[in-house]
Amino acid sequence: MQKYFSIKKQLTFCIIRWNGVNLCPYLIRMRRNTIIALVLACGVFTSCGEYNKVLKSTDADYQYEAAKSYFGEGKNSKAATLLEGLVTVMKGSDRAEESLYMEAMTYYNQTDYQTASHYFTTYYTTYPRGLYAEEARYHSGKALYLDTPEPRLDQSGTYKAIQELQLFMEYFPQSKYHTEVQQMIFELQDKLVVKDYMAAKLYYDLGSYTGNGSYTTTGNNYLACIVTAQNALRDYPYTKLREDLSILVLRSKYDMAKESVLEKKPERMRETIDEYYAFTNEFPESKYKKEVDAIYKDASKYVDKLNDEE
């Protein structure tokens, strides 16, 4: 009968078997992994020890060089902690200026964009003609751009980002970042248009509904849709949603005309026809062509009948 466990030593190596399986490779691998883990642990403890030594040091120059080293290695959290104190300690020197800019960059690299923008703003306010003034204004605007919310949420942050990027364009009109910043502004404006479109669409979908399960013939929601959409078209004339906003205006005018009281209906049907011509002139090959033609046909039929009666 074969033994379940046997050990054979031959010169400088051994064979360890369990149920006929050689266990040596597994034991060797386990030992190698243990050694690697110990080496890594020693490296971590050494690194922590060095960092604590830097933190406790009263030598600002030593801390400054360490902070630059950590920043260059991508250890942004450690660099930020050191730089926060150095900005005050080295105030009035060239190193204070560089420390403040690096501190802002450490937060930017950690995707803490609000904090990053704050420090970039502090930098270009403190050093308006500083060595990194252009970079600071650019990154401040881009940080706010990256932190903007999705369209359905409050867009205060989007307005702030647009303002910051527009200021950058004013201060550095010939900047190498000009094209990129312009594109960011366009994208943020599109986000605002989407917000307005969603609001206008909601008003249109509500139609004559006024809440509490009641309806009205005043068309307040249709009017709100028209005003919201037209304001967006006026504020952002080159938006990609121009056609979609315009169809909401036409639909709202038509539906409001249909639901109007008799004395207001003729005037509103004529306004619908005018809006139809404005729409088709701007979008002759519109994706909504079938719908707008049907609106025109119905509105014209009503007006023609009214004229015949007169």
Side-chain angles (χ1 to χ4, degrees), residues 265-294:
K265 195 166 186 177
E267 179 187 355
R268 289 178 174 174
M269 280 296 183
R270 291 187 179 95
E271 289 178 357
T272 299
I273 293 173
D274 290 340
E275 192 63 38
Y276 162 82
Y277 284 122
F279 184 92
T280 53
N281 284 338
E282 185 171 359
F283 309 104
E285 301 299 328
S286 173
K287 59 186 176 183
Y288 302 110
K289 183 172 174 52
K290 185 176 180 179
E291 179 185 354
V292 298
D293 286 345

PDB file of all heavy atoms in Angstrom, residues 265-294:
ATOM      1  N   LYS A 265     -59.929  82.025 -29.734  1.00  0.00           N
ATOM      2  CA  LYS A 265     -59.481  80.936 -30.611  1.00  0.00           C
ATOM      3  C   LYS A 265     -59.019  81.418 -31.987  1.00  0.00           C
ATOM      4  O   LYS A 265     -57.945  80.991 -32.455  1.00  0.00           O
ATOM      5  CB  LYS A 265     -60.599  79.902 -30.754  1.00  0.00           C
ATOM      6  CG  LYS A 265     -60.128  78.582 -31.340  1.00  0.00           C
ATOM      7  CD  LYS A 265     -61.191  77.503 -31.147  1.00  0.00           C
ATOM      8  CE  LYS A 265     -60.671  76.158 -31.602  1.00  0.00           C
ATOM      9  NZ  LYS A 265     -61.651  75.078 -31.364  1.00  0.00           N
ATOM     10  N   PRO A 266     -59.740  82.308 -32.678  1.00  0.00           N
ATOM     11  CA  PRO A 266     -59.286  82.736 -34.014  1.00  0.00           C
ATOM     12  C   PRO A 266     -57.892  83.376 -34.000  1.00  0.00           C
ATOM     13  O   PRO A 266     -57.046  83.044 -34.830  1.00  0.00           O
ATOM     14  CB  PRO A 266     -60.354  83.752 -34.436  1.00  0.00           C
ATOM     15  CG  PRO A 266     -61.564  83.352 -33.669  1.00  0.00           C
ATOM     16  CD  PRO A 266     -61.066  82.885 -32.353  1.00  0.00           C
ATOM     17  N   GLU A 267     -57.670  84.256 -33.054  1.00  0.00           N
ATOM     18  CA  GLU A 267     -56.373  84.926 -32.963  1.00  0.00           C
ATOM     19  C   GLU A 267     -55.249  83.934 -32.703  1.00  0.00           C
ATOM     20  O   GLU A 267     -54.177  84.007 -33.312  1.00  0.00           O
ATOM     21  CB  GLU A 267     -56.419  85.966 -31.842  1.00  0.00           C
ATOM     22  CG  GLU A 267     -55.100  86.709 -31.644  1.00  0.00           C
ATOM     23  CD  GLU A 267     -55.105  87.605 -30.428  1.00  0.00           C
ATOM     24  OE1 GLU A 267     -56.168  87.733 -29.778  1.00  0.00           O
ATOM     25  OE2 GLU A 267     -54.049  88.169 -30.111  1.00  0.00           O
ATOM     26  N   ARG A 268     -55.492  82.993 -31.832  1.00  0.00           N
ATOM     27  CA  ARG A 268     -54.456  82.012 -31.490  1.00  0.00           C
ATOM     28  C   ARG A 268     -54.218  81.017 -32.619  1.00  0.00           C
ATOM     29  O   ARG A 268     -53.088  80.535 -32.785  1.00  0.00           O
ATOM     30  CB  ARG A 268     -54.833  81.305 -30.189  1.00  0.00           C
ATOM     31  CG  ARG A 268     -54.693  82.231 -28.978  1.00  0.00           C
ATOM     32  CD  ARG A 268     -55.103  81.605 -27.678  1.00  0.00           C
ATOM     33  NE  ARG A 268     -54.809  82.504 -26.563  1.00  0.00           N
ATOM     34  CZ  ARG A 268     -55.166  82.284 -25.309  1.00  0.00           C
ATOM     35  NH1 ARG A 268     -55.857  81.179 -24.985  1.00  0.00           N
ATOM     36  NH2 ARG A 268     -54.859  83.143 -24.365  1.00  0.00           N
ATOM     37  N   MET A 269     -55.226  80.710 -33.398  1.00  0.00           N
ATOM     38  CA  MET A 269     -55.017  79.849 -34.562  1.00  0.00           C
ATOM     39  C   MET A 269     -54.160  80.566 -35.604  1.00  0.00           C
ATOM     40  O   MET A 269     -53.296  79.958 -36.245  1.00  0.00           O
ATOM     41  CB  MET A 269     -56.358  79.436 -35.172  1.00  0.00           C
ATOM     42  CG  MET A 269     -57.054  78.305 -34.445  1.00  0.00           C
ATOM     43  SD  MET A 269     -56.085  76.759 -34.536  1.00  0.00           S
ATOM     44  CE  MET A 269     -57.193  75.608 -33.695  1.00  0.00           C
ATOM     45  N   ARG A 270     -54.376  81.883 -35.760  1.00  0.00           N
ATOM     46  CA  ARG A 270     -53.545  82.648 -36.704  1.00  0.00           C
ATOM     47  C   ARG A 270     -52.095  82.721 -36.212  1.00  0.00           C
ATOM     48  O   ARG A 270     -51.152  82.668 -37.011  1.00  0.00           O
ATOM     49  CB  ARG A 270     -54.131  84.055 -36.882  1.00  0.00           C
ATOM     50  CG  ARG A 270     -55.467  84.084 -37.635  1.00  0.00           C
ATOM     51  CD  ARG A 270     -55.915  85.492 -37.941  1.00  0.00           C
ATOM     52  NE  ARG A 270     -57.172  85.493 -38.686  1.00  0.00           N
ATOM     53  CZ  ARG A 270     -58.376  85.625 -38.134  1.00  0.00           C
ATOM     54  NH1 ARG A 270     -58.483  85.772 -36.809  1.00  0.00           N
ATOM     55  NH2 ARG A 270     -59.465  85.608 -38.887  1.00  0.00           N
ATOM     56  N   GLU A 271     -51.917  82.844 -34.911  1.00  0.00           N
ATOM     57  CA  GLU A 271     -50.563  82.831 -34.338  1.00  0.00           C
ATOM     58  C   GLU A 271     -49.888  81.482 -34.574  1.00  0.00           C
ATOM     59  O   GLU A 271     -48.681  81.409 -34.818  1.00  0.00           O
ATOM     60  CB  GLU A 271     -50.622  83.128 -32.838  1.00  0.00           C
ATOM     61  CG  GLU A 271     -50.980  84.570 -32.503  1.00  0.00           C
ATOM     62  CD  GLU A 271     -51.084  84.800 -31.002  1.00  0.00           C
ATOM     63  OE1 GLU A 271     -50.926  83.812 -30.234  1.00  0.00           O
ATOM     64  OE2 GLU A 271     -51.309  85.948 -30.597  1.00  0.00           O
ATOM     65  N   THR A 272     -50.678  80.426 -34.540  1.00  0.00           N
ATOM     66  CA  THR A 272     -50.145  79.086 -34.809  1.00  0.00           C
ATOM     67  C   THR A 272     -49.654  78.987 -36.251  1.00  0.00           C
ATOM     68  O   THR A 272     -48.570  78.432 -36.509  1.00  0.00           O
ATOM     69  CB  THR A 272     -51.230  78.015 -34.557  1.00  0.00           C
ATOM     70  OG1 THR A 272     -51.629  78.059 -33.194  1.00  0.00           O
ATOM     71  CG2 THR A 272     -50.706  76.626 -34.895  1.00  0.00           C
ATOM     72  N   ILE A 273     -50.432  79.543 -37.176  1.00  0.00           N
ATOM     73  CA  ILE A 273     -50.029  79.522 -38.591  1.00  0.00           C
ATOM     74  C   ILE A 273     -48.753  80.331 -38.796  1.00  0.00           C
ATOM     75  O   ILE A 273     -47.843  79.900 -39.521  1.00  0.00           O
ATOM     76  CB  ILE A 273     -51.177  80.060 -39.478  1.00  0.00           C
ATOM     77  CG1 ILE A 273     -52.367  79.088 -39.431  1.00  0.00           C
ATOM     78  CG2 ILE A 273     -50.704  80.239 -40.916  1.00  0.00           C
ATOM     79  CD1 ILE A 273     -53.606  79.604 -40.122  1.00  0.00           C
ATOM     80  N   ASP A 274     -48.644  81.482 -38.148  1.00  0.00           N
ATOM     81  CA  ASP A 274     -47.425  82.293 -38.238  1.00  0.00           C
ATOM     82  C   ASP A 274     -46.220  81.530 -37.710  1.00  0.00           C
ATOM     83  O   ASP A 274     -45.128  81.570 -38.287  1.00  0.00           O
ATOM     84  CB  ASP A 274     -47.595  83.594 -37.443  1.00  0.00           C
ATOM     85  CG  ASP A 274     -48.594  84.551 -38.096  1.00  0.00           C
ATOM     86  OD1 ASP A 274     -48.858  84.391 -39.308  1.00  0.00           O
ATOM     87  OD2 ASP A 274     -49.097  85.446 -37.396  1.00  0.00           O
ATOM     88  N   GLU A 275     -46.449  80.818 -36.612  1.00  0.00           N
ATOM     89  CA  GLU A 275     -45.353  80.042 -36.018  1.00  0.00           C
ATOM     90  C   GLU A 275     -44.953  78.887 -36.936  1.00  0.00           C
ATOM     91  O   GLU A 275     -43.774  78.524 -37.021  1.00  0.00           O
ATOM     92  CB  GLU A 275     -45.787  79.498 -34.654  1.00  0.00           C
ATOM     93  CG  GLU A 275     -44.658  78.919 -33.808  1.00  0.00           C
ATOM     94  CD  GLU A 275     -43.615  79.950 -33.429  1.00  0.00           C
ATOM     95  OE1 GLU A 275     -43.985  81.112 -33.154  1.00  0.00           O
ATOM     96  OE2 GLU A 275     -42.410  79.585 -33.398  1.00  0.00           O
ATOM     97  N   TYR A 276     -45.945  78.326 -37.626  1.00  0.00           N
ATOM     98  CA  TYR A 276     -45.662  77.248 -38.581  1.00  0.00           C
ATOM     99  C   TYR A 276     -44.717  77.746 -39.671  1.00  0.00           C
ATOM    100  O   TYR A 276     -43.732  77.071 -40.016  1.00  0.00           O
ATOM    101  CB  TYR A 276     -46.961  76.742 -39.202  1.00  0.00           C
ATOM    102  CG  TYR A 276     -46.751  75.952 -40.470  1.00  0.00           C
ATOM    103  CD1 TYR A 276     -46.398  74.607 -40.435  1.00  0.00           C
ATOM    104  CD2 TYR A 276     -46.884  76.558 -41.734  1.00  0.00           C
ATOM    105  CE1 TYR A 276     -46.187  73.876 -41.600  1.00  0.00           C
ATOM    106  CE2 TYR A 276     -46.676  75.843 -42.901  1.00  0.00           C
ATOM    107  CZ  TYR A 276     -46.325  74.506 -42.833  1.00  0.00           C
ATOM    108  OH  TYR A 276     -46.100  73.790 -43.991  1.00  0.00           O
ATOM    109  N   TYR A 277     -45.007  78.932 -40.237  1.00  0.00           N
ATOM    110  CA  TYR A 277     -44.141  79.478 -41.300  1.00  0.00           C
ATOM    111  C   TYR A 277     -42.735  79.762 -40.783  1.00  0.00           C
ATOM    112  O   TYR A 277     -41.742  79.503 -41.472  1.00  0.00           O
ATOM    113  CB  TYR A 277     -44.772  80.747 -41.880  1.00  0.00           C
ATOM    114  CG  TYR A 277     -45.917  80.491 -42.812  1.00  0.00           C
ATOM    115  CD1 TYR A 277     -47.186  81.014 -42.572  1.00  0.00           C
ATOM    116  CD2 TYR A 277     -45.737  79.705 -43.955  1.00  0.00           C
ATOM    117  CE1 TYR A 277     -48.246  80.769 -43.432  1.00  0.00           C
ATOM    118  CE2 TYR A 277     -46.796  79.454 -44.823  1.00  0.00           C
ATOM    119  CZ  TYR A 277     -48.044  79.982 -44.563  1.00  0.00           C
ATOM    120  OH  TYR A 277     -49.088  79.736 -45.416  1.00  0.00           O
ATOM    121  N   ALA A 278     -42.649  80.271 -39.551  1.00  0.00           N
ATOM    122  CA  ALA A 278     -41.330  80.542 -38.970  1.00  0.00           C
ATOM    123  C   ALA A 278     -40.544  79.241 -38.796  1.00  0.00           C
ATOM    124  O   ALA A 278     -39.337  79.176 -39.072  1.00  0.00           O
ATOM    125  CB  ALA A 278     -41.488  81.240 -37.622  1.00  0.00           C
ATOM    126  N   PHE A 279     -41.249  78.200 -38.383  1.00  0.00           N
ATOM    127  CA  PHE A 279     -40.594  76.907 -38.156  1.00  0.00           C
ATOM    128  C   PHE A 279     -40.122  76.292 -39.466  1.00  0.00           C
ATOM    129  O   PHE A 279     -38.974  75.845 -39.578  1.00  0.00           O
ATOM    130  CB  PHE A 279     -41.559  75.957 -37.445  1.00  0.00           C
ATOM    131  CG  PHE A 279     -40.950  74.625 -37.088  1.00  0.00           C
ATOM    132  CD1 PHE A 279     -40.355  74.427 -35.853  1.00  0.00           C
ATOM    133  CD2 PHE A 279     -40.955  73.560 -37.995  1.00  0.00           C
ATOM    134  CE1 PHE A 279     -39.781  73.211 -35.521  1.00  0.00           C
ATOM    135  CE2 PHE A 279     -40.387  72.345 -37.676  1.00  0.00           C
ATOM    136  CZ  PHE A 279     -39.800  72.170 -36.437  1.00  0.00           C
ATOM    137  N   THR A 280     -40.995  76.255 -40.465  1.00  0.00           N
ATOM    138  CA  THR A 280     -40.639  75.602 -41.730  1.00  0.00           C
ATOM    139  C   THR A 280     -39.577  76.383 -42.505  1.00  0.00           C
ATOM    140  O   THR A 280     -38.799  75.789 -43.258  1.00  0.00           O
ATOM    141  CB  THR A 280     -41.884  75.409 -42.615  1.00  0.00           C
ATOM    142  OG1 THR A 280     -42.566  76.665 -42.776  1.00  0.00           O
ATOM    143  CG2 THR A 280     -42.830  74.391 -41.996  1.00  0.00           C
ATOM    144  N   ASN A 281     -39.523  77.700 -42.317  1.00  0.00           N
ATOM    145  CA  ASN A 281     -38.479  78.491 -42.965  1.00  0.00           C
ATOM    146  C   ASN A 281     -37.101  78.149 -42.403  1.00  0.00           C
ATOM    147  O   ASN A 281     -36.111  78.097 -43.133  1.00  0.00           O
ATOM    148  CB  ASN A 281     -38.745  79.991 -42.791  1.00  0.00           C
ATOM    149  CG  ASN A 281     -39.840  80.489 -43.711  1.00  0.00           C
ATOM    150  OD1 ASN A 281     -40.124  79.874 -44.739  1.00  0.00           O
ATOM    151  ND2 ASN A 281     -40.473  81.597 -43.341  1.00  0.00           N
ATOM    152  N   GLU A 282     -37.075  77.909 -41.104  1.00  0.00           N
ATOM    153  CA  GLU A 282     -35.789  77.590 -40.463  1.00  0.00           C
ATOM    154  C   GLU A 282     -35.433  76.117 -40.587  1.00  0.00           C
ATOM    155  O   GLU A 282     -34.258  75.760 -40.701  1.00  0.00           O
ATOM    156  CB  GLU A 282     -35.828  77.983 -38.981  1.00  0.00           C
ATOM    157  CG  GLU A 282     -34.486  77.799 -38.290  1.00  0.00           C
ATOM    158  CD  GLU A 282     -34.444  78.391 -36.891  1.00  0.00           C
ATOM    159  OE1 GLU A 282     -35.461  78.966 -36.440  1.00  0.00           O
ATOM    160  OE2 GLU A 282     -33.385  78.272 -36.243  1.00  0.00           O
ATOM    161  N   PHE A 283     -36.430  75.263 -40.604  1.00  0.00           N
ATOM    162  CA  PHE A 283     -36.182  73.810 -40.666  1.00  0.00           C
ATOM    163  C   PHE A 283     -37.005  73.185 -41.797  1.00  0.00           C
ATOM    164  O   PHE A 283     -37.968  72.445 -41.544  1.00  0.00           O
ATOM    165  CB  PHE A 283     -36.542  73.153 -39.324  1.00  0.00           C
ATOM    166  CG  PHE A 283     -35.931  73.798 -38.126  1.00  0.00           C
ATOM    167  CD1 PHE A 283     -36.699  74.602 -37.285  1.00  0.00           C
ATOM    168  CD2 PHE A 283     -34.587  73.634 -37.835  1.00  0.00           C
ATOM    169  CE1 PHE A 283     -36.149  75.207 -36.168  1.00  0.00           C
ATOM    170  CE2 PHE A 283     -34.018  74.233 -36.720  1.00  0.00           C
ATOM    171  CZ  PHE A 283     -34.797  75.032 -35.889  1.00  0.00           C
ATOM    172  N   PRO A 284     -36.661  73.474 -43.038  1.00  0.00           N
ATOM    173  CA  PRO A 284     -37.452  72.961 -44.180  1.00  0.00           C
ATOM    174  C   PRO A 284     -37.458  71.437 -44.281  1.00  0.00           C
ATOM    175  O   PRO A 284     -38.407  70.854 -44.809  1.00  0.00           O
ATOM    176  CB  PRO A 284     -36.769  73.598 -45.389  1.00  0.00           C
ATOM    177  CG  PRO A 284     -35.397  73.940 -44.926  1.00  0.00           C
ATOM    178  CD  PRO A 284     -35.532  74.299 -43.486  1.00  0.00           C
ATOM    179  N   GLU A 285     -36.406  70.794 -43.777  1.00  0.00           N
ATOM    180  CA  GLU A 285     -36.330  69.329 -43.821  1.00  0.00           C
ATOM    181  C   GLU A 285     -36.424  68.746 -42.414  1.00  0.00           C
ATOM    182  O   GLU A 285     -35.751  67.773 -42.083  1.00  0.00           O
ATOM    183  CB  GLU A 285     -35.010  68.905 -44.482  1.00  0.00           C
ATOM    184  CG  GLU A 285     -34.815  69.426 -45.891  1.00  0.00           C
ATOM    185  CD  GLU A 285     -35.886  68.928 -46.858  1.00  0.00           C
ATOM    186  OE1 GLU A 285     -36.367  67.783 -46.653  1.00  0.00           O
ATOM    187  OE2 GLU A 285     -36.245  69.670 -47.788  1.00  0.00           O
ATOM    188  N   SER A 286     -37.259  69.334 -41.608  1.00  0.00           N
ATOM    189  CA  SER A 286     -37.346  68.951 -40.199  1.00  0.00           C
ATOM    190  C   SER A 286     -37.772  67.499 -39.995  1.00  0.00           C
ATOM    191  O   SER A 286     -38.542  66.936 -40.771  1.00  0.00           O
ATOM    192  CB  SER A 286     -38.343  69.864 -39.486  1.00  0.00           C
ATOM    193  OG  SER A 286     -38.577  69.424 -38.162  1.00  0.00           O
ATOM    194  N   LYS A 287     -37.268  66.938 -38.914  1.00  0.00           N
ATOM    195  CA  LYS A 287     -37.691  65.583 -38.533  1.00  0.00           C
ATOM    196  C   LYS A 287     -39.139  65.586 -38.050  1.00  0.00           C
ATOM    197  O   LYS A 287     -39.751  64.524 -37.915  1.00  0.00           O
ATOM    198  CB  LYS A 287     -36.766  65.043 -37.442  1.00  0.00           C
ATOM    199  CG  LYS A 287     -36.720  65.893 -36.174  1.00  0.00           C
ATOM    200  CD  LYS A 287     -35.669  65.375 -35.190  1.00  0.00           C
ATOM    201  CE  LYS A 287     -35.548  66.288 -33.975  1.00  0.00           C
ATOM    202  NZ  LYS A 287     -34.487  65.830 -33.049  1.00  0.00           N
ATOM    203  N   TYR A 288     -39.674  66.791 -37.797  1.00  0.00           N
ATOM    204  CA  TYR A 288     -41.061  66.914 -37.356  1.00  0.00           C
ATOM    205  C   TYR A 288     -41.983  67.358 -38.496  1.00  0.00           C
ATOM    206  O   TYR A 288     -43.103  67.802 -38.254  1.00  0.00           O
ATOM    207  CB  TYR A 288     -41.165  67.942 -36.217  1.00  0.00           C
ATOM    208  CG  TYR A 288     -40.318  67.621 -35.003  1.00  0.00           C
ATOM    209  CD1 TYR A 288     -39.200  68.384 -34.688  1.00  0.00           C
ATOM    210  CD2 TYR A 288     -40.645  66.559 -34.168  1.00  0.00           C
ATOM    211  CE1 TYR A 288     -38.427  68.107 -33.567  1.00  0.00           C
ATOM    212  CE2 TYR A 288     -39.878  66.265 -33.050  1.00  0.00           C
ATOM    213  CZ  TYR A 288     -38.766  67.050 -32.755  1.00  0.00           C
ATOM    214  OH  TYR A 288     -38.020  66.759 -31.639  1.00  0.00           O
ATOM    215  N   LYS A 289     -41.523  67.255 -39.720  1.00  0.00           N
ATOM    216  CA  LYS A 289     -42.248  67.796 -40.873  1.00  0.00           C
ATOM    217  C   LYS A 289     -43.686  67.275 -40.959  1.00  0.00           C
ATOM    218  O   LYS A 289     -44.629  68.047 -41.190  1.00  0.00           O
ATOM    219  CB  LYS A 289     -41.501  67.470 -42.166  1.00  0.00           C
ATOM    220  CG  LYS A 289     -42.160  68.052 -43.411  1.00  0.00           C
ATOM    221  CD  LYS A 289     -41.268  67.866 -44.630  1.00  0.00           C
ATOM    222  CE  LYS A 289     -41.970  68.321 -45.900  1.00  0.00           C
ATOM    223  NZ  LYS A 289     -42.530  69.692 -45.805  1.00  0.00           N
ATOM    224  N   LYS A 290     -43.892  65.997 -40.777  1.00  0.00           N
ATOM    225  CA  LYS A 290     -45.228  65.417 -40.871  1.00  0.00           C
ATOM    226  C   LYS A 290     -46.158  66.017 -39.818  1.00  0.00           C
ATOM    227  O   LYS A 290     -47.316  66.356 -40.097  1.00  0.00           O
ATOM    228  CB  LYS A 290     -45.143  63.901 -40.701  1.00  0.00           C
ATOM    229  CG  LYS A 290     -46.463  63.185 -40.906  1.00  0.00           C
ATOM    230  CD  LYS A 290     -46.273  61.668 -40.814  1.00  0.00           C
ATOM    231  CE  LYS A 290     -47.598  60.930 -41.029  1.00  0.00           C
ATOM    232  NZ  LYS A 290     -47.409  59.452 -40.958  1.00  0.00           N
ATOM    233  N   GLU A 291     -45.646  66.191 -38.603  1.00  0.00           N
ATOM    234  CA  GLU A 291     -46.443  66.746 -37.508  1.00  0.00           C
ATOM    235  C   GLU A 291     -46.792  68.210 -37.761  1.00  0.00           C
ATOM    236  O   GLU A 291     -47.951  68.620 -37.589  1.00  0.00           O
ATOM    237  CB  GLU A 291     -45.684  66.618 -36.182  1.00  0.00           C
ATOM    238  CG  GLU A 291     -46.435  67.206 -35.000  1.00  0.00           C
ATOM    239  CD  GLU A 291     -45.617  67.188 -33.714  1.00  0.00           C
ATOM    240  OE1 GLU A 291     -44.502  66.618 -33.715  1.00  0.00           O
ATOM    241  OE2 GLU A 291     -46.102  67.758 -32.710  1.00  0.00           O
ATOM    242  N   VAL A 292     -45.795  69.016 -38.181  1.00  0.00           N
ATOM    243  CA  VAL A 292     -46.053  70.450 -38.370  1.00  0.00           C
ATOM    244  C   VAL A 292     -47.004  70.685 -39.555  1.00  0.00           C
ATOM    245  O   VAL A 292     -47.811  71.622 -39.530  1.00  0.00           O
ATOM    246  CB  VAL A 292     -44.745  71.248 -38.543  1.00  0.00           C
ATOM    247  CG1 VAL A 292     -43.872  71.134 -37.308  1.00  0.00           C
ATOM    248  CG2 VAL A 292     -43.972  70.811 -39.772  1.00  0.00           C
ATOM    249  N   ASP A 293     -46.902  69.856 -40.574  1.00  0.00           N
ATOM    250  CA  ASP A 293     -47.819  69.985 -41.704  1.00  0.00           C
ATOM    251  C   ASP A 293     -49.260  69.700 -41.275  1.00  0.00           C
ATOM    252  O   ASP A 293     -50.201  70.360 -41.744  1.00  0.00           O
ATOM    253  CB  ASP A 293     -47.414  69.033 -42.835  1.00  0.00           C
ATOM    254  CG  ASP A 293     -46.170  69.502 -43.578  1.00  0.00           C
ATOM    255  OD1 ASP A 293     -45.800  70.689 -43.416  1.00  0.00           O
ATOM    256  OD2 ASP A 293     -45.567  68.690 -44.304  1.00  0.00           O
ATOM    257  N   ALA A 294     -49.417  68.736 -40.382  1.00  0.00           N
ATOM    258  CA  ALA A 294     -50.754  68.406 -39.880  1.00  0.00           C
ATOM    259  C   ALA A 294     -51.309  69.555 -39.039  1.00  0.00           C
ATOM    260  O   ALA A 294     -52.512  69.875 -39.119  1.00  0.00           O
ATOM    261  CB  ALA A 294     -50.692  67.121 -39.057  1.00  0.00           C
TER     262      ALA A 294
END
